[in-house]
Amino acid sequence: MTTGLHPGGPPQDPPPTGNQPLPRQAPIGHGALPADNRPRSSVITARAAASFEPVGRSVATARSFVRDTLQGWGFADIVDDAVVLTSELVTNAVVHAGTAADVLCLRSDDGVRIEVADHYPEREIPLQGAAINMSSPDREGGRGLQLCAALASRWGVDYTPTQKLVWFQLDLPARPVGTRAAGPSLPADLLPLADGRVRVAVVQIDRTGSIASWNEDAEDLFGYAAEQVTGKPLTDLAAWPHTPGTSTGIAEALRLSRWEGSYGIRGADGRVIPVYASHLRVRDTGGEPSTVCLLVRDHERAVLQTPLRGPAPDAASTPDGQNTDPFEVFIGSPAPDDLDGLLQRTVERARDMLDGDSAFLLLATDDETELEVRASTGLPSARQRFARVPVEGGPGRYGSARMPAVHEDLMAVPGAVPLLSGTGMRSVVTVPLKVEGRLTGSLGVAAEGPNKYSNEEALRLQFAADRIALAVESARLGELERLRRGSLSFLVEASDLLAGTLDRDQTLALMAQMTVPTLATWCAVYTIADQSSDPYLSYVLHEDEELIDGIKSLLSKIAPPDPVPTPGARVWAAPAEAAHQAALRTSMRSLGLGEPTRRVSSGIGPTLATASAVGGETVVLPLVARNRVIGMLTLGKPTDEHFRQEILELAEDLSRRAALALDNARLYSERTAISQSLQRSLLPPDLPHIEGVEVEVIYRAAGEGNEVGGDFYDLFPIRDGVYGFAIGDVCGTGPEAAAVTGLARHALRLLAREGFTGPAVLERLNSAILDEGARSRFLTLLYGELWPQEDGSAKLKVVCAGHPLPLRLRQDGTVEPAAEPQPLLGVMDDLELYEQTVTLDPGDVLLCVTDGVTERREGTRMLGDDGLSDVLTTCTGLTAGAVAARIMRAVERFASDAPSDDMAILAMRVPGLQKD
């Protein structure tokens, strides 16, 4: 804004804009004169000019410019009308026309002329004598000419090819000589009631709150002599509070720079005397602060009370006598249905009411320790929205949000209102929003100039805040209830998803996918393996997949957050700082300016988009499970954005569930790894190569995650040219059966290599199983020894102890048992077992299976020995691997359900001369 003030002199035309335009015909309002027919009798004694940029804030600045100019000229009587008209005309220029506005104020002896010009070049020029189409007064725009016709003494419009100029003249009202401004004449019965002589008690309070001086009027009003009360705290005499809706204490009021209000003083006779007080905080010559209190009887408050700028209409009634809602008087009707709309309209009305440049409204958290910015106007809202400030006094804050406060110049008290730091605002007034004595929010209005607000504006703003507080709190509770219902549904769904997996990597992915974009724009999950390990960046997700790699690169170059077990979200500034520095390096490098002085560690080179994505608020939530920090969940916003308190509380609930799910997945992974390692030790590592014999094994353990069950197999060399083989089935499945499996397999190898025959090996194994006592389980076992022969055949000696009989497939397709059944192991002490000799000719196949194959069921049907024989008959000419695969396919296709028992298939084939 550029301004100029010129001293009085002879009449001068306004300075031309560009080429001097020729005057064009303009519409003439009621009692108006064309611009070129300005009365020559009026002498311009002063002029003030200003230009305003085409931004919304310029409207408030223009109002302030006109108000200050006219008050400086002593035209207080017409200030309000001039401000209203200027506001409408400047709004038309900077908002609707979208151009700069030039405002010129001309002072004369009988009034003031104000001209507002825009620079919109394509204005329609009305025809002479054409009727002016006035818009509806209820519309947002188009009311400027209507107001000019209603309020101005004269007005008119000038059109040129480059601008449109609207001017209006306000004449000064006739008033007696020597009267500058006075209140209206009132009948005697409407004047304030006073005693025979109005007594004003002057009481001075020192910095400790004690009475330092007490004048004669104070003695007359309250009955105490000065020596009786000097040195005593004023709180001993004050009955607090009497002002309705006031929760400010007397001690707090005495520390404010200015304060007006009602309370009571206990007189010498014990009665409470209602008084109206005006407090002023001053310093003596030594710099010691004290408060001067002027007190009158409450019904004489007109002596001290600051008058309003204009007549204050009754908030409960309209001019026609109809009752209206005081809330609607301030907020307008209809009121917005949503909380954000209500808050936004509130700050806009508050700004206009106090003629401010900006306004803001903060809502208190449930514990009343912090205030969260929810609406603002005239401020960078993207940066300020959801920012939090403390309620009570402390570092970076002056006073308390629980009381009204007026700051005449923020330059004198840096950091008094952190929300306004760096915004150019100088003066500010803030008032609390309270419901039933509980702090629910804070409303503030600020201006770019100093000394703009006083206790008068604080009282007006508090009056408005008291009327909207209940509506705001009701809307906030409604929104909070909707958020909580949504949060509950979100947490239920999250719990179901997290409980549905025990895979660690999938759990990490679910954590990130549930937070982005519901709770945050991006997130990163750090994990901690053990207490001695550093946090490790395990997962990064952004709602824009193209930015994930850049964020991961940025986070990997900075130190991870500290693993603090304290619950709740804490701000982590490192990513935003690193992103800012990286963006600065990138920008300077692109401009050819080299590297900045302050450098980030080399290797960070994210794009400007990545830096912007990480440049907002970043919070860290600990992942605590079983009293140990197992990681951190990091949530981030893009540049200049903040988290809502409700979102942080929801994220904290999610982090607790996610931490337990992640720890369960870790424990499951560890135990699965241990189990699988132990199970693998129960199976033979590799099958030996037997010259002249094909061998194939297929093994399936029942149960999820099991690699070994009650079925087992083995094939091992005993001595040169002799091999032992076994296939068995321990009663039951699971770890108990697997334990007997390990005992049997290792005992078979050891005994066979000691030179024992097949029956002797099984008899000793039977004794070892019985020695297990209560842990013993009976065992079916097929054991044999294999001797490959030089003629291409193979000789076998087998013992079948209660196991399904081995089947022999000849080249002609016939199938027959290769052994006879004998007693199983682990049941009786004395066993008399014998071995049988079988010779496999070239092309023959020996098939050994466990009962999981033959007892495969589908309803009442069972595969059985006959079914297995039928399948084996079709395997003539196949290799050992093809035979085993065909048997397994037949077993799987026999029933649709998953197998419920362990299965093992051992196929041995002596190659023949046929083509395989």
Side-chain angles (χ1 to χ4, degrees), residues 174-416:
R175 55 190 177 186
V177 177
T179 302
R180 185 175 181 86
S185 300
L186 294 176
D189 57 346
L190 296 181
L191 295 175
L193 183 63
D195 292 338
R197 181 176 71 84
V198 175
R199 292 174 175 82
V200 179
V202 180
V203 181
Q204 190 158 1
I205 310 299
D206 62 20
R207 65 184 308 166
T208 65
S210 301
I211 298 173
S213 64
W214 185 268
N215 72 340
E216 293 181 359
D217 280 358
E219 295 182 9
D220 293 339
L221 283 173
F222 308 121
Y224 298 103
E227 57 270 13
Q228 291 180 279
V229 296
T230 301
K232 292 184 178 181
L234 181 62
T235 54
D236 291 350
L237 306 179
W240 188 271
H242 276 258
T243 303
T246 301
S247 61
T248 305
I250 182 66
E252 290 84 355
L254 291 173
R255 290 196 297 269
L256 298 176
S257 59
R258 294 180 183 273
W259 188 87
E260 289 183 24
S262 300
Y263 53 89
I265 295 293
R266 293 185 181 87
D269 57 1
R271 293 184 303 167
V272 174
I273 303 171
V275 298
Y276 189 83
S278 175
H279 296 176
L280 176 65
R281 192 78 163 161
V282 298
R283 287 188 302 167
D284 61 16
T285 55
E288 287 294 318
S290 62
T291 302
V292 177
C293 305
L294 306 180
L295 309 175
V296 297
R297 295 183 185 273
D298 191 61
H299 61 268
E300 298 172 341
R301 65 172 59 194
V303 176
L304 300 181
Q305 188 172 22
T306 303
L308 298 176
R309 279 184 176 172
D314 185 0
S317 63
T318 55
D320 57 4
Q322 295 180 353
N323 292 334
T324 60
D325 185 356
F327 167 76
E328 291 186 358
V329 172
F330 175 72
I331 202 63
S333 180
D337 295 331
D338 62 305
L339 176 63
D340 290 337
L342 175 61
L343 300 183
Q344 191 62 36
R345 186 179 291 186
T346 298
V347 296
E348 291 172 357
R349 294 291 190 273
R351 178 199 61 188
D352 295 342
M353 182 180 72
L354 297 189
D355 196 21
D357 297 310
S358 64
F360 51 88
L361 194 149
L362 303 86
L363 294 183
T365 55
D366 290 339
D367 57 3
E368 299 184 35
T369 59
E370 287 186 316
L371 293 168
E372 187 177 65
V373 180
R374 291 298 304 271
S376 63
T377 180
L379 295 174
S381 57
R383 175 172 68 88
Q384 304 290 352
R385 187 167 169 81
F386 301 125
R388 289 175 295 279
V389 295
V391 170
E392 298 296 343
R397 181 162 181 88
Y398 175 81
S400 170
R402 301 181 187 277
M403 301 182 297
V406 177
H407 299 280
E408 296 178 346
D409 191 352
L410 293 177
M411 298 293 290
V413 190

Side-chain angles (χ1 to χ4, degrees), residues 297-534:
R297 295 183 185 273
D298 191 61
H299 61 268
E300 298 172 341
R301 65 172 59 194
V303 176
L304 300 181
Q305 188 172 22
T306 303
L308 298 176
R309 279 184 176 172
D314 185 0
S317 63
T318 55
D320 57 4
Q322 295 180 353
N323 292 334
T324 60
D325 185 356
F327 167 76
E328 291 186 358
V329 172
F330 175 72
I331 202 63
S333 180
D337 295 331
D338 62 305
L339 176 63
D340 290 337
L342 175 61
L343 300 183
Q344 191 62 36
R345 186 179 291 186
T346 298
V347 296
E348 291 172 357
R349 294 291 190 273
R351 178 199 61 188
D352 295 342
M353 182 180 72
L354 297 189
D355 196 21
D357 297 310
S358 64
F360 51 88
L361 194 149
L362 303 86
L363 294 183
T365 55
D366 290 339
D367 57 3
E368 299 184 35
T369 59
E370 287 186 316
L371 293 168
E372 187 177 65
V373 180
R374 291 298 304 271
S376 63
T377 180
L379 295 174
S381 57
R383 175 172 68 88
Q384 304 290 352
R385 187 167 169 81
F386 301 125
R388 289 175 295 279
V389 295
V391 170
E392 298 296 343
R397 181 162 181 88
Y398 175 81
S400 170
R402 301 181 187 277
M403 301 182 297
V406 177
H407 299 280
E408 296 178 346
D409 191 352
L410 293 177
M411 298 293 290
V413 190
V417 184
L419 186 64
L420 300 179
S421 298
T423 62
M425 301 296 158
R426 294 284 297 276
S427 55
V428 61
V429 52
T430 61
V431 296
L433 274 69
K434 294 187 177 182
V435 175
E436 297 180 351
R438 183 174 61 87
L439 179 70
T440 60
S442 177
L443 177 63
V445 178
E448 294 179 343
N451 304 314
K452 180 70 176 290
Y453 301 118
S454 63
N455 192 59
E456 172 193 344
E457 286 76 18
L459 291 175
R460 294 175 62 196
L461 191 61
Q462 184 67 71
F463 182 83
D466 291 342
R467 276 146 185 78
I468 65 168
L470 186 59
V472 169
E473 179 66 4
S474 178
R476 187 188 74 86
L477 292 176
E479 180 193 67
L480 188 59
E481 180 62 24
R482 291 190 295 271
L483 286 174
R484 285 175 176 171
R485 285 199 300 265
S487 300
L488 182 60
S489 176
F490 172 80
L491 291 175
V492 169
E493 182 180 358
S495 299
D496 289 342
L497 290 174
L498 292 172
T501 179
L502 287 172
D503 182 80
R504 176 181 176 276
D505 293 337
Q506 189 174 0
T507 302
L508 290 173
L510 283 175
M511 291 170 56
Q513 292 167 7
M514 285 184 293
T515 57
V516 176
T518 305
L519 305 181
T521 305
W522 65 271
C523 88
V525 183
Y526 291 85
T527 56
I528 303 174
D530 52 62
Q531 295 182 354
S532 61
S533 301
D534 293 330

Side-chain angles (χ1 to χ4, degrees), residues 537-739:
L537 182 61
S538 298
Y539 202 92
V540 175
L541 184 65
H542 191 281
E543 61 183 8
D544 184 355
E545 295 182 357
E546 295 181 356
L547 299 177
I548 294 178
D549 292 338
I551 296 176
K552 186 181 298 183
S553 173
L554 180 67
L555 295 179
S556 63
K557 302 300 181 181
I558 61 178
D562 296 330
V564 179
T566 306
R570 70 181 191 277
V571 177
W572 184 30
E577 294 176 357
H580 174 74
Q581 293 300 319
L584 180 61
R585 294 176 63 249
T586 302
S587 300
M588 295 186 68
R589 191 163 49 245
S590 65
L591 295 174
L593 300 178
E595 298 289 341
T597 304
R598 182 182 175 187
R599 300 185 58 184
V600 192
S601 58
S602 60
I604 301 180
T607 63
L608 295 179
T610 301
S612 176
V614 187
E617 187 176 46
T618 303
V619 297
V620 178
L621 297 104
L623 298 175
V624 181
R626 298 175 176 90
N627 298 322
R628 188 175 72 88
V629 180
I630 63 171
M632 285 87 69
L633 178 63
T634 303
L635 307 180
K637 287 280 190 179
T639 302
D640 294 339
E641 289 194 18
H642 298 268
F643 285 97
R644 293 184 60 173
Q645 184 64 30
E646 294 84 0
I647 294 297
L648 294 180
E649 293 173 358
L650 180 57
E652 185 177 356
D653 287 338
L654 176 63
S655 68
R656 287 194 291 267
R657 290 165 170 77
L660 188 59
L662 183 62
D663 198 47
N664 288 340
R666 177 187 63 84
L667 294 175
Y668 177 78
S669 299
E670 291 178 355
R671 281 154 178 73
T672 300
I674 294 172
S675 174
Q676 292 176 347
S677 178
L678 293 175
Q679 291 183 64
R680 283 191 292 268
S681 69
L682 302 178
L683 296 176
D686 294 304
L687 295 177
H689 174 72
I690 303 177
E691 188 70 30
V693 180
E694 297 176 0
V695 180
E696 181 66 25
V697 174
I698 296 179
Y699 184 85
R700 296 286 189 273
E704 184 178 358
N706 290 333
E707 294 190 13
V708 177
D711 292 3
F712 68 96
Y713 68 92
D714 202 0
L715 180 65
F716 55 92
I718 298 177
R719 52 188 180 274
D720 290 341
V722 182
Y723 297 88
F725 67 91
I727 183 170
D729 184 3
V730 179
C731 174
T733 60
E736 295 82 1

Side-chain angles (χ1 to χ4, degrees), residues 95-166:
V95 176
H96 301 299
T99 74
D102 299 328
V103 179
L104 175 65
C105 300
L106 302 174
R107 184 183 70 181
S108 62
D109 295 333
D110 55 354
V112 64
R113 172 188 170 104
I114 298 179
E115 300 176 354
V116 179
D118 63 35
H119 300 274
Y120 196 82
E122 299 178 0
R123 292 291 185 182
E124 179 183 357
I125 302 177
L127 298 176
Q128 182 176 4
I132 301 174
N133 182 19
M134 295 292 188
S135 61
S136 169
D138 295 330
R139 292 182 53 191
E140 186 66 24
R143 300 173 299 192
L145 300 184
Q146 269 188 304
L147 291 175
C148 287
L151 301 179
S153 303
R154 292 181 295 277
W155 65 277
V157 183
D158 281 349
Y159 287 94
T160 73
T162 59
Q163 70 176 9
K164 168 192 172 184
L165 183 146
V166 180

Side-chain angles (χ1 to χ4, degrees), residues 658-842:
L660 188 59
L662 183 62
D663 198 47
N664 288 340
R666 177 187 63 84
L667 294 175
Y668 177 78
S669 299
E670 291 178 355
R671 281 154 178 73
T672 300
I674 294 172
S675 174
Q676 292 176 347
S677 178
L678 293 175
Q679 291 183 64
R680 283 191 292 268
S681 69
L682 302 178
L683 296 176
D686 294 304
L687 295 177
H689 174 72
I690 303 177
E691 188 70 30
V693 180
E694 297 176 0
V695 180
E696 181 66 25
V697 174
I698 296 179
Y699 184 85
R700 296 286 189 273
E704 184 178 358
N706 290 333
E707 294 190 13
V708 177
D711 292 3
F712 68 96
Y713 68 92
D714 202 0
L715 180 65
F716 55 92
I718 298 177
R719 52 188 180 274
D720 290 341
V722 182
Y723 297 88
F725 67 91
I727 183 170
D729 184 3
V730 179
C731 174
T733 60
E736 295 82 1
V740 179
T741 296
L743 171 65
R745 194 176 71 81
H746 292 293
L748 286 175
R749 288 196 172 207
L750 179 63
L751 294 172
R753 288 171 178 172
E754 289 294 325
F756 292 99
T757 62
V761 169
L762 267 61
E763 290 169 1
R764 284 165 173 74
L765 176 59
N766 180 64
S767 300
I769 293 174
L770 293 175
D771 289 343
E772 291 293 309
R775 296 181 300 175
S776 65
R777 290 170 175 262
F778 62 81
L779 168 68
T780 66
L781 179 64
L782 172 65
Y783 173 75
E785 295 179 356
L786 172 66
W787 284 270
Q789 303 298 310
E790 295 181 357
D791 60 357
S793 63
K795 180 181 178 182
L796 294 85
K797 292 183 178 181
V798 297
V799 179
C800 185
H803 198 77
L805 299 179
L807 298 179
R808 176 181 180 180
L809 172 64
R810 295 184 181 275
Q811 293 189 47
D812 58 4
T814 59
V815 175
E816 59 184 9
E820 297 177 354
Q822 300 184 58
L824 50 76
L825 307 180
V827 176
M828 60 185 71
D829 291 332
D830 297 330
L831 288 180
E832 294 183 1
L833 302 175
Y834 58 91
E835 61 185 8
Q836 295 173 273
T837 302
V838 180
T839 301
L840 295 181
D841 296 327

